[in-house]
Structure formats: C-alpha cells, structure tokens
Amino acid sequence: MGDLVINEIAQKLVNGTRGDMAMQELRDRGYRLSSLNSISSRIRSAVLASCEPPDYSTLQAQAALEHTVTAFLAMSKSDQLSVQRSVANGSASEPWSDAARQALLRLRFLPANMDSFKLTQAEYVDLKRAREMAQLKKNVAGTIAVPNPAALLDQLTTLLETATAQRSLPELAFPILLATGRRLSAVMSFGSTWQPHPNPTYATFSGILKKRGASSRTADIPLLVPFATLEIGIRALRERQTLNAATRRKGHLPRAIGCTVDIKKRYSPSFNRALKAGRAMPLLPKCKEVKDLRAMYASFIYLLYESPSTLAGTCLTALVHTALKDSLSYNHIKVADDPSLRGKCGKLILPLERAEHHTDSASDSADECASDDDWSQ
C-alpha cells in the first residue's frame, strides 16, 4: 500500500500538481506525523529519480580547476543534492570557489512545485518534540556505565602517546573522538584544524559541522588529555589516512567532497563494527555507535572540569550545540564519580565558541582521507 501511495503522489507531482496540495492529500489519508514525514521523504526521492539531471555545463567548466567539482559530477543525483544542501548551509568541510559555489547552487534537481511539498512549521515543531521524548525514553533504556573512569583515562592517554600510522583507522580515531568530543565527520576530515591553546587541556578547533557558517568558525574546546598528547594521535591519524590514499586501488573513485554526508557514509559502518567488536579500546564499555563516544566525552568533561551548569548545560557548552534540545541524546552515559578526578582540570572556560570568523582554507583535501573501509586495515 505504501509503495502505491508513493508512486501515485510522486507521479502527480511530476505532472505539475502543487506541492502543498499533494501534502494535504497525504494528511487527508490519515497518516501520523512521523509517517507523514517519512513517506514525504520517499516521495521526494521518487520525484528526484524520475527527473532529468540538471544542466551541469557551467559547473563542468570548473571541473579541471577543482577536485571537489570533479568528484561531485561523478556522484548520484541524491548525493549531489545532499552536497548542494551542505554547501548552501555552510556545513561542507571542503572549500568551494565562489564561481563553483554559485554554479552549484543554481542547479535545479527538483521541479519548482516541490518547494511547497513539506511539513508546516507547526508540524516540524511537533515532530521534534515527539522525537525528543522518544530519545529521552531511549536514553533511560540504553544507559551505558563507565565504572572505572580513571583506568579508561589512563588507557586513552597511553593510546594517544604511543599512536603510530601502523595502527588501524579506528584504533587511531577512537581515542581522538573520546578525547575531543568532536563528530566523526570533523575528526576524519582534513578540513579540520587543531591548534594549541594557552590552557594545556584545551584546543582551538576549526571545522565545526552541522551549523550554518560552521566551516568558518572556531571553538576553544576542553580536552580529556593535554593538547600535546592529543597532537601525537592526530598526527598519526593523518599519516595513516595519507598512506591509505596513496595505496588506494587503481580505478577506485576518490572521495574528494568531504561533506558530512560523504564522510559518514564512508566511515560510519566500519567504525561502528569496530566499536562493537571492542578491540580498538579494550576498556571502553559496550557501545552501539560512534556517537556514544561523544556522549561519553561530555560526561567526562562534567567530571574533570568545574562546571557552573548541570550535565545538560555542560553538554550544550562542551559540544558547541546551539540549543539545549540538541544535547538530549547525549545524556545516556553514566560515568562513575571519582573524587580523584573531580574538577582535576580546573574551571570550565566560558564561552567556548569564538565570534570571529576565519577565512583560511584547509591545505589538504578530503581526497587524502579516503581509506579502506575494513577496520583492520
């Protein structure tokens, strides 16, 4: 039944039916809000698949000058649309020249009537509220405990201090993910930069994703280890990524875009498998996904630093979220209270995010961070 509805509404939209009228037809069929959101996304994908590709001629002129354009043109239409959106909202980690960016944003993947095929603002708010409540219930059921935080921190420090390019990507990336609390997309992107901070347990980080204009913002972030220790791990990770790119099989398409979607698709499956296997960091409690390391980082920050806020407020600050609701999915980690660690790193410096913008572009491309998906490599 669902596929029949999807094909029916998609065909109407292709034939020119107004988007808001098609959306209302779905509402009249009695779908719940979550189902309405899901089925509208599938309809949008069906319309995209049936449409002719846009005119790439203007963008193709930039292909010889920019590797990001070359890789973009080799993508599927759905991936191209995702990249276009990431460039439009500032979340792409790879730089695009003004000419290429303008040509990219002029591409029309969907017919104009699709602009009104969307939920209302009130529906979006209700959907977010429902998801937040579901997330809170999920957190209670899926609590992850860290019974011996001191031992885990000792192992984390050792893994970073002894990091070499001979280790697998997860073995190198997991300690960095835990020590910094950054997203997988940010850690694996060559567009991210890490600089020392006057406070030895902080780093000045550039490469914040999932925020408008984020690619040009920096933040002073608290760490679970001294910056000098973190730097050893980051250097080894970049060396490993470069080696993997240099030995890539002939004919293997480079992954040069490096936007959030592209990097997550490439690394998330193999990294999640490695995390569940428990071999990269033996003392880590059983985690389901890489995102759990980010949540664990926030709980450790609450223990190691003297925070003027609650755990949720500390999570909001340390993870550089824009709203408290963004931090709701990060409160399922319970780090045992250890008096020897409590407040060890001093007061949490606020605010963390800097107001100034930086225009320096990354010197390395995400093409270099392409790697074999097998975690054991």
Side-chain angles (χ1 to χ4, degrees):
M1 183 66 179
D3 289 341
L4 291 177
V5 172
I6 290 170
N7 293 335
E8 177 188 346
I9 301 298
Q11 190 58 53
K12 287 183 178 181
L13 288 164
V14 170
N15 292 338
T17 297
R18 281 171 39 189
D20 56 344
M21 294 178 61
M23 184 62 76
Q24 187 57 50
E25 182 175 341
L26 290 176
R27 295 189 186 96
D28 293 341
R29 292 179 184 237
Y31 288 108
R32 292 181 303 173
L33 188 55
S34 59
S35 299
L36 181 64
N37 182 61
S38 176
I39 200 169
S40 63
S41 296
R42 294 174 64 188
I43 291 171
R44 192 174 290 106
S45 296
V47 173
L48 176 64
S50 67
C51 292
E52 291 295 321
D55 180 6
Y56 297 110
S57 56
T58 303
L59 193 59
Q60 285 171 335
Q62 300 291 323
L65 304 175
E66 300 183 44
H67 69 274
T68 50
V69 176
T70 303
F72 173 86
L73 294 173
M75 290 180 170
S76 65
K77 283 192 296 182
S78 60
D79 285 343
Q80 288 178 342
L81 182 58
S82 296
V83 171
Q84 185 189 55
R85 288 170 176 167
S86 70
V87 171
N89 64 29
S91 64
S93 60
E94 281 297 298
W96 286 64
S97 69
D98 289 342
R101 184 178 185 278
Q102 291 174 12
L104 172 65
L105 297 183
R106 281 196 295 266
L107 296 179
R108 186 84 196 191
F109 291 95
L110 293 166
N113 62 330
M114 291 296 294
D115 292 348
S116 60
F117 184 71
K118 57 186 179 181
L119 300 180
T120 65
Q121 185 62 35
E123 287 173 329
Y124 274 122
V125 171
D126 289 343
L127 184 62
K128 285 186 176 182
R129 285 175 178 168
R131 286 176 173 173
E132 288 170 3
M133 292 303 298
Q135 183 64 58
L136 288 173
K137 291 180 180 179
K138 178 182 176 183
N139 290 349
V140 172
T143 299
I144 298 173
V146 182
N148 192 342
L152 181 56
L153 283 176
D154 286 343
Q155 184 180 77
L156 172 65
T157 301
T158 300
L159 288 173
L160 288 169
E161 288 177 339
T162 60
T164 69
Q166 280 65 52
R167 291 180 183 169
S168 69
L169 281 175
E171 287 175 314
L172 292 170
F174 286 173
I176 298 173
L177 288 163
L178 178 57
T180 67
R182 298 313 99 189
R183 294 184 176 89
L184 176 63
S185 304
V187 169
M188 299 307 292
S189 173
F190 273 76
S192 300
T193 61
W194 311 79
Q195 300 296 331
H197 184 273
N199 189 313
T201 59
Y202 280 72
T204 299
F205 173 70
S206 176
I208 304 170
L209 304 176
K210 294 189 73 173
K211 291 180 65 179
R212 288 188 179 275
S215 58
S216 61
R217 289 186 180 273
T218 65
D220 297 329
I221 60 171
L223 307 172
L224 305 190
V225 297
F227 177 79
T229 301
L230 173 68
E231 195 172 27
I232 297 172
I234 293 174
R235 191 181 305 119
L237 174 64
R238 294 292 181 253
E239 184 179 347
R240 175 70 199 214
Q241 289 176 288
T242 303
L243 288 173
N244 280 11
T247 57
R248 195 163 49 241
R249 298 184 304 274
K250 288 185 177 181
H252 185 76
L253 181 66
R255 298 294 185 115
I257 294 297
C259 67
T260 303
V261 172
D262 186 58
I263 294 177
K264 284 182 69 176
K265 280 184 178 180
R266 183 155 186 79
Y267 294 108
S268 287
S270 58
F271 274 41
N272 285 333
R273 288 195 299 270
L275 188 63
K276 291 176 182 178
R279 289 172 287 182
M281 287 187 69
L283 292 184
L284 269 180
K286 189 174 182 180
C287 298
K288 294 182 179 180
E289 56 184 345
V290 173
K291 183 180 178 182
D292 290 335
L293 298 180
R294 185 164 158 84
M296 196 175 299
Y297 158 86
S299 293
F300 264 105
I301 291 297
Y302 190 62
L303 174 63
L304 293 173
Y305 290 81
E306 298 174 11
S307 175
S309 184
T310 62
L311 174 58
T314 302
C315 182
L316 172 74
T317 301
L319 299 180
V320 199
H321 285 158
T322 55
L324 190 60
K325 63 180 178 61
D326 296 331
S327 303
L328 289 177
S329 62
Y330 294 91
N331 65 356
H332 62 290
I333 305 292
K334 303 302 179 185
V335 175
D337 185 23
D338 185 333
S340 68
L341 298 178
R342 194 185 306 144
K344 176 182 177 180
C345 295
K347 292 184 178 180
L348 191 63
I349 300 175
L350 301 172
L352 296 180
E353 188 172 5
R354 294 185 176 187
E356 69 265 26
H357 288 254
H358 296 260
T359 57
D360 294 340
S361 60
S363 58
D364 298 287
S365 72
D367 179 33
E368 294 175 306
C369 79
S371 66
D372 296 328
D373 285 340
D374 187 353
W375 91 273
S376 64
Q377 294 299 310

